[in-house]
């Protein structure tokens, strides 16, 4: 049974979204078996693209929601339909025991991703951790420290959006 978790940037450009979608399908196909499971927080961008690719491959989706107020507080209207559809498609949904979406909630959600993972798929541009904690690079570092193999997905030509868009769950990615 292959259990893949995901971490990644939310601020992908439109052109990068198409590149990443194809690259994720390729990575998932390489690790697919009869019991493929994907673990995702289904945030906009990489997390949701990964979740969709897992479902398209016939895998089971486990959704980890950082806090009880996450849907109302952090899911933007443009992502709400996708978020809701992925929640409904999930085989299992875990809501972290945090009332409010904050750094502690995001770090707890990331810890669950890594606890469940045989491998981590990181849609990551390779930038180092910001020092604030909980971002994509932090999850990659933690996975490597735990001995979890990391598949970095950053296709040639991939780009992130503008500085204002560079946040995940309301904080810098």
């Amino acid at each position: 049974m292959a259990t893949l978790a995901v971490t990644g940037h939310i601020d992908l450009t439109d052109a990068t979204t198409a590149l990443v979608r194809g690259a994720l399908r390729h990575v998932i196909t390489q690790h697919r078996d009869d019991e493929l499971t994907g673990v995702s927080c289904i945030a906009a961008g990489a997390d949701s693209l990964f979740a969709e690719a897992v479902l398209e491959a016939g895998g089971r989706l486990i959704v980890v929601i950082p806090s009880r107020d996450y849907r109302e507080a952090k899911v933007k209207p443009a992502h709400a339909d996708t978020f809701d559809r992925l929640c409904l498609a999930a085989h299992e949904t875990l809501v972290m025991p945090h009332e409010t979406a904050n750094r502690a909630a995001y770090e707890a959600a990331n810890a669950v991703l890594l606890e469940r993972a045989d491998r981590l798929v990181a849609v990551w541009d390779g930038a180092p951790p910001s020092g604030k904690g909980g971002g994509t690079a932090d999850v990659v570092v933690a996975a490597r420290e735990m001995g979890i193999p990391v598949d970095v997905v950053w296709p040639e030509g991939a780009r992130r959006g503008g500085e204002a868009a560079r946040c995940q769950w309301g904080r810098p990615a």
Side-chain angles (χ1 to χ4, degrees):
M1 178 163 127
T3 300
L4 308 175
V6 69
T7 188
H9 303 303
I10 67 164
D11 60 342
L12 306 175
T13 65
D14 290 341
T16 296
T17 296
L19 294 171
V20 167
R21 183 177 281 119
L24 286 170
R25 286 180 181 143
H26 177 73
V27 168
I28 287 168
T29 299
Q30 289 180 322
H31 299 295
R32 189 186 187 294
D33 64 18
D34 291 336
E35 297 186 37
L36 170 68
T37 299
V39 186
S40 176
C41 292
I42 65 170
D47 288 9
S48 290
L49 293 172
F50 171 85
E52 290 170 338
V54 166
L55 292 171
E56 288 170 9
R60 296 178 334 151
L61 177 63
I62 297 173
V63 170
V64 181
I65 299 181
S67 66
R68 291 185 181 103
D69 76 340
Y70 182 77
R71 168 65 172 81
E72 295 76 26
K74 297 296 179 182
V75 176
K76 304 232 184 284
H79 182 60
D81 287 343
T82 299
F83 183 91
D84 293 342
R85 179 175 46 78
L86 291 172
C87 280
L88 287 173
H91 176 77
E92 180 182 357
T93 302
L94 305 168
V95 179
M96 302 309 301
H98 296 269
E99 291 299 323
T100 305
N102 57 29
R103 183 166 292 128
Y106 309 136
E107 289 176 353
N110 289 336
V112 169
L113 291 176
L114 294 178
E115 288 169 9
R116 296 276 187 118
D118 296 321
R119 300 185 74 84
L120 178 69
V121 177
V123 179
W124 176 46
D125 63 2
S130 67
K132 296 180 181 180
T136 300
D138 298 295
V139 179
V140 170
V141 168
R144 289 178 173 160
E145 288 174 352
M146 295 170 67
I148 298 170
V150 178
D151 295 312
V152 175
V153 172
W154 197 250
E156 187 171 333
R159 301 283 181 268
R160 294 176 69 184
E163 196 64 36
R166 289 192 184 188
C167 66
Q168 180 176 9
W169 295 324
R171 81 230 185 298

